Amino acid sequence: MMQHLDTSLITAFVERWQPDTNTFHMPFGEMSILLHDVHHILRILVEGELMRDDPHPDLLKLDMHDLVRVPVDGPVGGKWKSKWFLNGGIHAEGLLVRGREMKIRDLEVQTYLFVLLGSTLFVDKSRDRLRPAINVFLKDQRRVAGYAWGAAALAYLYRQLRMATRVGSKSICGCLTLLQAWIYEYFPLFRPSQIL
């Protein structure tokens, strides 16, 4: 799913990330991905309605029930119990199939947006599960365009970079396309060669 990513390059930059300052420490100074960069690289809103993080688990349970139209048990011990949920996240491919099966236009759009955002801006380490908290912001489709998705994606990437710098961490998630494009923008030497 992530064949376009240069994992060696991303790993090298993760090793230079300083979680205390949210910056990459380079031999010549510090650099960071800014909202300006997010807007110009991804072309998504960085201004708009802010998104709160991690709603109450009972609210997530109700939202997931409304979305997939099946009973949802959980979270129990931090895990959701349902065929739609795997290890704390909702299965992306199963959600798309369920969205098409329901034949309710608003729910089809909501499931598509959920999978789109969860597999591009808010990617988790599994690469095939989605964070249920994203769905809370998709219920009212009139408000979706007004959210500061870029700011949320950058905050999520910062959090994932911080976690990736911990001892014992073996991988990173988040909007790695943004990270790699930012590296290419500011460090042209690392860009892949273009064959004309």
Side-chain angles (χ1 to χ4, degrees), residues 38-72:
V38 175
H39 175 72
H40 286 285
I41 292 170
L42 297 180
R43 297 287 183 201
I44 58 176
L45 284 179
V46 294
E47 295 178 349
E49 190 174 345
L50 295 178
M51 303 163 66
R52 68 187 186 283
D53 192 26
D54 295 329
H56 191 275
D58 290 339
L59 180 60
L60 293 178
K61 181 178 175 181
L62 290 171
D63 286 342
M64 290 297 98
H65 177 270
D66 290 346
L67 183 62
V68 295
R69 304 291 174 156
V70 294
V72 177

Side-chain angles (χ1 to χ4, degrees), residues 141-182:
Q141 293 174 15
R142 295 168 299 186
R143 294 177 62 191
V144 169
Y147 285 119
W149 293 107
L154 182 60
Y156 185 68
L157 179 60
Y158 276 8
R159 181 182 311 147
Q160 299 310 316
L161 283 164
R162 183 179 66 240
M163 287 195 217
T165 61
R166 292 181 182 162
V167 174
S169 179
K170 294 182 172 132
S171 61
I172 183 173
C173 59
C175 188
L176 300 181
T177 303
L178 168 63
L179 176 57
Q180 184 167 302
W182 179 84

Side-chain angles (χ1 to χ4, degrees), residues 102-191:
M102 289 186 289
K103 303 226 185 278
I104 301 171
R105 178 115 173 100
D106 286 347
L107 288 178
E108 285 184 71
V109 170
Q110 187 176 346
T111 56
Y112 177 77
L113 287 172
F114 189 20
V115 171
L116 179 70
L117 291 168
S119 60
T120 56
L121 299 181
F122 306 104
V123 181
D124 79 349
K125 289 183 182 180
S126 72
R127 307 278 194 251
D128 68 348
R129 290 189 304 263
L130 309 172
R131 298 181 67 233
I134 300 167
N135 186 52
V136 172
F137 306 103
L138 303 175
K139 288 172 36 176
D140 184 354
Q141 293 174 15
R142 295 168 299 186
R143 294 177 62 191
V144 169
Y147 285 119
W149 293 107
L154 182 60
Y156 185 68
L157 179 60
Y158 276 8
R159 181 182 311 147
Q160 299 310 316
L161 283 164
R162 183 179 66 240
M163 287 195 217
T165 61
R166 292 181 182 162
V167 174
S169 179
K170 294 182 172 132
S171 61
I172 183 173
C173 59
C175 188
L176 300 181
T177 303
L178 168 63
L179 176 57
Q180 184 167 302
W182 179 84
I183 295 168
Y184 290 165
E185 180 71 23
Y186 288 96
F187 301 91
L189 180 67
F190 295 120
R191 291 180 189 163

Side-chain angles (χ1 to χ4, degrees), residues 78-92:
K79 305 284 184 190
W80 293 84
K81 290 171 56 179
S82 170
K83 70 177 186 174
W84 305 103
F85 293 92
L86 299 168
N87 299 325
I90 190 163
H91 191 262

